[in-house]
Amino acid sequence: MENCIFCKIIKGEIPSCIVYEDEEIIAFKDIHPKAPVHILVIPKKHINCINDIEPEDEKIIGKIYSVIKQLAKVQNIDKNGYRVVVNCGEDGGQEVMHLHFHLMGGKKLPIK
Ligand code: AMP
Ligand code: ZN
């Protein structure tokens, strides 16, 4: 998808700190971290938001949670716990229209 910042990260056109990559999924550090660990996990396929998830995407969405589980362990936040957030649309506060899962942890997160 042209002009999508996360598609540009996938293509290596914009630098990022990649912490996981396979043929379908990539994960990189959020540029404005809201917690000591703040990683974005995204499908390489451009999907705008939850509203655009198709039945054919169900497997990859499930796999994203397996990757999140692995990353939480690698980042050593699995025992204390963490938060996974997916914002959708304007009211949900979504700024980048490429589906992404925020993985946040490393401190007691505020209730919001
Ligand atoms: P959201 O508000 O859910 O759309 O979240 C978008 C997230 O992307 C924000 O937390 C931003 O800090 C993050 N972000 C935007 N541009 C970049 C970038 N080039 N590299 C890493 N994270 C980014
Ligand atoms: Zn994209």
Side-chain angles (χ1 to χ4, degrees):
M1 177 70 72
E2 262 178 67
N3 295 325
C4 169
I5 194 161
F6 288 176
C7 281
K8 287 181 180 172
I9 284 175
I10 291 162
K11 285 187 266 178
E13 293 172 4
I14 289 180
S16 66
C17 183
I18 294 168
V19 293
Y20 176 89
E21 183 168 14
D22 65 28
E23 60 286 349
E24 296 171 313
I25 294 166
I26 192 164
F28 51 91
K29 291 188 182 174
D30 195 293
I31 204 165
H32 298 304
K34 293 190 177 67
V37 175
H38 189 169
I39 291 168
L40 301 174
V41 186
I42 72 172
K44 286 188 172 174
K45 175 184 174 184
H46 181 93
I47 301 170
N48 283 304
C49 64
I50 292 175
N51 290 341
D52 294 313
I53 293 173
E54 301 287 349
E56 69 196 34
D57 303 320
E58 286 171 5
K59 206 172 152 202
I60 194 163
I61 301 302
K63 191 176 164 190
I64 282 174
Y65 278 100
S66 289
V67 169
I68 288 170
K69 175 188 162 181
Q70 284 176 50
L71 285 170
K73 198 169 165 62
V74 169
Q75 298 286 331
N76 204 27
I77 57 171
D78 56 324
K79 299 282 188 301
N80 282 354
Y82 49 88
R83 184 173 291 165
V84 178
V85 172
V86 184
N87 298 321
C88 182
E90 202 177 331
D91 283 1
Q94 185 179 7
E95 286 173 6
V96 179
M97 291 306 289
H98 181 129
L99 181 67
H100 52 279
F101 294 66
H102 296 257
L103 167 61
M104 292 174 284
K107 70 170 187 183
K108 182 94 179 162
L109 296 166
I111 308 291
K112 51 166 201 160

